[in-house]
Amino acid sequence: RFNYPDPREHPVWGIDVSHHQGEIDWGLLKQHGVDFAFIKATEGATHRDTRFAENWQKARGAGLKVGAYHFFTFCRSPLEQAANFLAVVPRAPDALPPVVDVELGGNCSTRPRPGALQRGLGRFVSAVAQGLQRRPIVYLTPEARDELFGAGEIGHPFWIRGLLGEPPPGWTFWQFANRARVRGIPTAVDLNAFHTADRARLDAL
């Protein structure tokens, strides 16, 4: 890995997974210090991850703090996408906040202007916040942040990818590795750090 967060500053670590990780030994992950997991639930207006329900149930059963995420596409209605996500995600008061994953890579080839993208993202966030009574976190790659927000304020709690070093302050979660190997997962996986060393603040999100 290019960077490795100081465990004294960021001891609370987690993963984000989808069906691509295959069958996961969640109990083994918990034994080796994984505190939380964000699990892919949906993508676009129709796709639903085939392992979401299994991963959600088993991760919670192992004692991890768990949240669900949606991959936001640029070529489908934000409200249709929100409806797809809300139809899948359990209403669990002790879950992590929902996440909307915004990336330029692997997305639709037709991309609206930044202003239209911001408005669409805002509609998705509002619909999910109303449906789950939880304010979503926005996941951003550096490229997506530059495209959507430039140097301005994001206006949402955010989770950011930073594979070459710690991002500037303001993030809630930091994805610091995208090809890590962790006991209990048969494939490479993303690693993430929580912004504070206080584990109780993760529980209170």
Side-chain angles (χ1 to χ4, degrees):
R1 292 194 293 270
F2 290 109
N3 52 325
Y4 196 93
D6 186 335
R8 294 168 298 182
E9 294 183 15
H10 304 301
V12 183
W13 284 13
I15 57 173
D16 58 275
V17 299
S18 71
H19 70 277
H20 293 295
Q21 272 64 51
E23 187 171 356
I24 296 171
D25 187 333
W26 290 100
L28 189 59
L29 287 177
K30 181 65 175 176
Q31 291 174 24
H32 285 86
V34 176
D35 292 295
F36 64 88
F38 283 105
I39 300 170
K40 185 174 182 178
T42 53
E43 178 173 335
T46 58
H47 177 76
R48 299 177 180 182
D49 193 276
T50 54
R51 285 193 176 268
F52 173 71
E54 175 188 352
N55 283 334
W56 180 274
Q57 181 180 15
K58 290 183 176 180
R60 284 172 59 86
L64 278 74
K65 191 77 172 176
V66 176
Y69 77 88
H70 171 85
F71 187 89
F72 187 83
T73 61
F74 302 148
C75 49
R76 295 301 299 265
S77 156
L79 296 184
E80 289 179 334
Q81 295 188 62
N84 187 30
F85 184 67
L86 290 170
V88 170
V89 177
R91 272 57 172 173
D94 60 341
L96 290 167
V99 170
V100 53
D101 177 354
V102 183
E103 304 183 36
L104 305 186
N107 215 309
C108 303
S109 57
T110 301
R111 189 182 307 159
R113 293 183 179 275
L117 278 177
Q118 285 189 33
R119 290 190 293 274
L121 178 61
R123 285 193 288 271
F124 177 93
V125 165
S126 295
V128 170
Q130 182 176 9
L132 295 179
Q133 298 300 300
R134 303 291 300 278
R135 186 181 182 195
I137 293 170
V138 177
Y139 169 90
L140 296 165
T141 61
E143 298 80 13
R145 177 173 183 167
D146 290 345
E147 175 85 10
L148 282 170
F149 303 103
E153 292 293 325
I154 293 174
H156 307 280
F158 68 94
W159 165 17
I160 189 130
R161 180 189 293 175
L163 303 181
L164 301 179
E166 183 171 347
W171 51 271
T172 302
F173 293 97
W174 163 29
Q175 186 184 92
F176 61 86
N178 67 343
R179 292 190 175 274
R181 300 310 300 248
V182 178
R183 291 181 184 179
I185 300 180
T187 67
V189 68
D190 300 332
L191 292 181
N192 303 276
F194 186 48
H195 72 102
T196 174
D198 185 355
R199 175 63 167 72
R201 292 181 66 179
L202 182 73
D203 292 329
L205 279 180

